[in-house]
Amino acid sequence: MANSKYEYVRNFELDDSALPSTWMVVRIDGRGFHGFSDMHTFDKPNDLKALGVMNKAAIEVMKNIRDITIAYGQSDEYSFVLPPSCNLYSRRISKIISTVVSLFASNYAMHWSEYFPDRKLLVAPCFDARLVCYPTKKVLRDYLSWRQADCHINNLYNTAFWAIVHSGKSEQEAEEKLRGTFSKDKNEILFSEFNINYNSLAPVYRKGSVIIRKETEVKSISAQTGKEVSRQKRVPTVLHDDIIGDKFWEEHPELLASNT
Ligand code: DGT
Ligand code: MG
Ligand code: MG
Ligand code: MG
Ligand code: MG
């Protein structure tokens, strides 16, 4: 069939394929979640249910996009890692990020009521997304370490800030008290003034969430025999491990198994 005279407009579509043989990371981040968390009265500094919806949305993204090997999330953001061998949408960046971010947002909205049965979703949640290519395993690990270090720094600050505010000080006083302090000072304030041992806080807050595909025994009823059968399945599973040190990567060598 002959092409129509309009076909030439295709030539205006630019090639936006990601650099071959590199690790691709899609990071999504909640748009205006400062206001979103106030509007939905999230607990401060951390809301376990809000993190639950984020993790659920990320699990659903991983179930849908099988190329993703690992994801890391904290606060209102999630990073999804695609290995160098990935050929999803021929590595076209706009196709990949738009698919990941729309799946994430629709699942966030779809599963909201499971985590907040008594709280209506008041606005349509929106996320931005970017894709960055990292050339080596080292740079990929440094990227993930950067996000987990960010989680730690923010969480330590926020934990100290809200402890001071909840003790009756104003937000301005809390900010002044923490200005110029180092990590050890914040740990000390938490321990000596509020009897909080920072390191004993739940890892979900201190470390964020890591999702990997874990071999899991899944039981189901056979349609033929009506009997229970079990099989091994790789199920996206949320962990709160340290991913900065070597231990995690030594325990899961498949995550970095690639020729590049
Ligand atoms: P953006 O990303 O430029 O559109 O603006 P925001 O407002 O989303 O800012 P961002 O992403 O830098 O910071 C995330 C905001 O979300 C931050 O203000 C704190 C809030 N947030 C995230 N998780 C929680 C939570 O568990 N509890 C509360 N109270 N707030 C949270
Ligand atoms: Mg942002
Ligand atoms: Mg945000
Ligand atoms: Mg953010
Ligand atoms: Mg189509």
Side-chain angles (χ1 to χ4, degrees), residues 15-22 24 90-93 96 131 133:
D15 177 14
D16 72 337
S17 51
L19 210 61
S21 302
T22 55
M24 296 183 284
S90 307
R91 298 175 74 88
R92 288 165 65 189
I93 293 172
I96 295 171
L131 183 152
C133 296

Side-chain angles (χ1 to χ4, degrees), residues 92-164:
R92 288 165 65 189
I93 293 172
S94 55
K95 293 277 256 188
I96 295 171
I97 57 176
S98 57
T99 302
V100 170
V101 74
S102 68
L103 265 177
F104 191 95
S106 57
N107 275 288
Y108 188 99
M110 195 161 109
H111 295 284
W112 170 270
S113 65
E114 293 159 30
Y115 294 84
F116 293 104
D118 311 319
R119 241 175 281 179
K120 209 172 161 249
L121 186 56
L122 298 172
V123 290
C126 176
F127 297 82
D128 68 36
R130 69 196 67 188
L131 183 152
V132 179
C133 296
Y134 296 104
T136 62
K137 293 171 196 179
K138 179 187 184 298
V139 192
L140 174 72
R141 268 189 63 177
D142 285 348
Y143 168 80
L144 293 167
S145 298
W146 173 51
R147 298 325 302 148
Q148 190 164 56
D150 184 81
C151 174
H152 165 73
I153 292 163
N154 290 331
N155 188 58
L156 178 60
Y157 181 91
N158 292 338
T159 304
F161 181 88
W162 288 106
I164 297 165

Side-chain angles (χ1 to χ4, degrees), residues 98-246:
S98 57
T99 302
V100 170
V101 74
S102 68
L103 265 177
F104 191 95
S106 57
N107 275 288
Y108 188 99
M110 195 161 109
H111 295 284
W112 170 270
S113 65
E114 293 159 30
Y115 294 84
F116 293 104
D118 311 319
R119 241 175 281 179
K120 209 172 161 249
L121 186 56
L122 298 172
V123 290
C126 176
F127 297 82
D128 68 36
R130 69 196 67 188
L131 183 152
V132 179
C133 296
Y134 296 104
T136 62
K137 293 171 196 179
K138 179 187 184 298
V139 192
L140 174 72
R141 268 189 63 177
D142 285 348
Y143 168 80
L144 293 167
S145 298
W146 173 51
R147 298 325 302 148
Q148 190 164 56
D150 184 81
C151 174
H152 165 73
I153 292 163
N154 290 331
N155 188 58
L156 178 60
Y157 181 91
N158 292 338
T159 304
F161 181 88
W162 288 106
I164 297 165
V165 171
H166 290 148
S167 76
K169 298 278 197 303
S170 72
E171 296 192 14
Q172 196 188 329
E173 284 171 309
E175 200 188 305
E176 279 163 15
K177 190 176 167 84
L178 293 174
R179 194 173 300 148
T181 56
F182 294 108
S183 283
K184 64 170 172 32
D185 308 317
K186 293 182 196 75
N187 273 303
E188 183 55 29
I189 291 171
L190 280 171
F191 191 70
S192 59
E193 297 183 31
F194 303 106
N195 204 21
I196 296 172
N197 179 355
Y198 182 76
N199 286 324
S200 65
L201 295 182
V204 56
Y205 305 135
R206 290 184 293 111
K207 301 289 181 192
S209 299
V210 186
I211 310 180
I212 57 170
R213 300 182 193 276
K214 263 197 144 169
E215 285 284 339
T216 310
E217 190 174 307
V218 181
K219 291 194 165 76
S220 61
I221 305 296
S222 160
Q224 277 110 37
T225 64
K227 284 193 184 132
E228 190 178 82
V229 286
S230 72
R231 62 195 172 94
Q232 292 291 116
K233 220 179 145 187
R234 298 182 72 225
V235 179
T237 307
V238 179
L239 310 171
H240 308 293
D241 292 5
D242 176 87
I243 55 170
I244 295 177
D246 292 336

Side-chain angles (χ1 to χ4, degrees), residues 29-34 75-77 126 128:
D29 182 285
R31 179 164 173 245
F33 263 47
H34 184 78
S75 182
D76 68 338
E77 66 169 63
C126 176
D128 68 36

